[in-house]
Amino acid sequence: MTKTLPILPKELCIHELFTAQALRTPDAVALVFGEQEMTYRQVDQRANQLAHYLIEQGVSVESLVAISLHRSFEMFIGILGIQKAGAAYVPIDPAMPAERFAFIFSDTQIRICLTQSSLKNKFATHPKINVIHLDQWQTISTFPITTPDVAVTPNNLIYTIYTSGSTGQPKGVQVEHRSVRNLIQAQINYVQHPIKRFLYAYSFAFDGAVLLIYWTLLDGGTLVIASENLEKDISKMAAFINHQQISHLLTFPSLYNLLLSEVQ
């Protein structure tokens, strides 16, 4: 019997596809971090609140909004909220040097950055940036949980990710919603079985993270967020994978070999 694979509608943006999944499986667990969980409904509603707040701050279609956070629920709520406001997100790894922050802010002329209070010193020298701390949710929580009415299409930008700069000046690579949709559809067609629990242990400023995030969340799976630097301790990582019943992990062959050695 041939399995019917899910088809992601071409006319929808990535955040709209996530909302559609949240409507299908509202009580399914979307995110796990530590001992806490968030359902698809909760993530979608919080992203809607953030989107309404960002629109009030002047964000519009194809605005660029920076986001710089440690691994957390807010990381994923942030990137979805930016999309729901019609904007494109620019992920900046908090571990990046101050010079990289300054370069990206200058190159993009960004005026809003989503972050967390523990990183406030990173922005002390950038007074023109409106810094929004997503771990201080009181104001944002007063906004509607319904999806904002924004005229964004699959041809609009979803993100701008900067290259490492290892071969010269870093360059911002701009990608549209339709391209990410095609990437995820191709992955679904290739793997041909749904994701249950995907281990997320990556920098979201790495372009490969785009596939992992949306492949999981648009396929109804659970993203299990690893604590910072878990991947540097193979014993702890192997134990974590077992405890969390991880079904999917994407990493380097050398790390696969180390993990397999640990569990044998």
Side-chain angles (χ1 to χ4, degrees):
M1 181 177 178
T2 303
K3 177 185 175 182
T4 301
L5 299 175
I7 302 298
L8 305 177
K10 293 183 179 181
E11 69 275 12
L12 298 183
C13 296
I14 294 300
H15 59 280
E16 293 171 325
L17 291 169
F18 175 80
T19 296
Q21 182 62 52
L23 290 172
R24 287 193 295 272
T25 58
D27 298 319
V29 176
L31 304 175
V32 172
F33 187 53
E35 299 302 317
Q36 297 181 305
E37 298 179 345
M38 288 193 73
T39 66
Y40 274 83
R41 179 193 287 114
Q42 289 171 325
V43 174
D44 192 56
Q45 290 179 349
R46 283 208 169 198
N48 287 338
Q49 289 178 313
L50 176 58
H52 284 289
Y53 176 75
L54 290 174
I55 291 169
E56 186 177 88
Q57 299 299 308
V59 170
S60 58
V61 175
E62 293 214 340
S63 296
L64 295 181
V65 178
I67 178 168
S68 182
L69 298 100
H70 293 301
R71 292 174 196 164
S72 58
F73 290 151
E74 288 78 19
M75 176 189 292
F76 302 96
I77 292 167
I79 62 176
L80 284 167
I82 292 169
Q83 293 171 49
K84 283 171 174 282
Y89 68 96
V90 183
I92 307 176
D93 192 317
M96 287 181 180
E99 293 78 11
R100 176 64 70 91
F101 274 77
F103 171 76
I104 293 176
F105 288 155
S106 174
D107 194 48
T108 58
Q109 295 297 298
I110 278 174
R111 289 292 173 262
I112 294 179
C113 182
L114 309 184
T115 187
Q116 51 205 159
S117 52
S118 63
L119 296 171
K120 62 182 180 181
N121 290 338
K122 288 276 188 179
F123 307 94
T125 58
H126 303 285
K128 293 183 179 180
I129 303 293
N130 178 9
V131 179
I132 299 169
H133 297 143
L134 293 188
D135 54 343
Q136 297 176 356
W137 195 259
Q138 294 88 338
T139 300
I140 301 173
S141 68
T142 64
F143 283 79
I145 61 173
T146 53
T147 303
D149 184 13
V150 179
V152 60
T153 76
N155 294 326
N156 289 123
L157 293 179
I158 180 173
Y159 67 77
T160 296
I161 290 182
Y162 275 76
T163 61
S164 65
S166 58
T167 59
Q169 190 74 282
K171 297 177 178 63
V173 179
Q174 296 184 310
V175 176
E176 300 168 344
H177 283 263
R178 61 178 179 174
S179 297
V180 176
R181 179 265 171 206
N182 292 341
L183 173 67
I184 304 309
Q185 186 67 66
Q187 188 71 9
I188 290 172
N189 293 347
Y190 176 74
V191 176
Q192 297 196 4
H193 60 82
I195 291 177
K196 293 182 180 179
R197 293 171 73 85
F198 204 117
L199 176 61
Y200 185 86
Y202 317 88
S203 167
F204 75 149
F206 162 55
D207 60 355
V210 172
L211 169 64
L212 310 182
I213 294 170
Y214 297 118
W215 178 25
T216 303
L217 296 180
L218 301 187
D219 202 25
T222 300
L223 269 179
V224 181
I225 308 164
S227 59
E228 299 286 338
N229 299 319
L230 175 70
E231 60 274 21
K232 295 181 180 180
D233 189 320
I234 298 301
S235 296
K236 288 184 178 180
M237 189 172 183
F240 184 84
I241 289 171
N242 180 61
H243 174 68
Q244 290 288 350
Q245 298 183 308
I246 299 300
S247 64
H248 290 70
L249 166 66
L250 186 63
T251 188
F252 303 106
S254 57
L255 184 53
Y256 285 132
N257 288 334
L258 289 171
L259 286 169
L260 288 172
S261 299
E262 184 67 29
V263 299
Q264 287 177 351

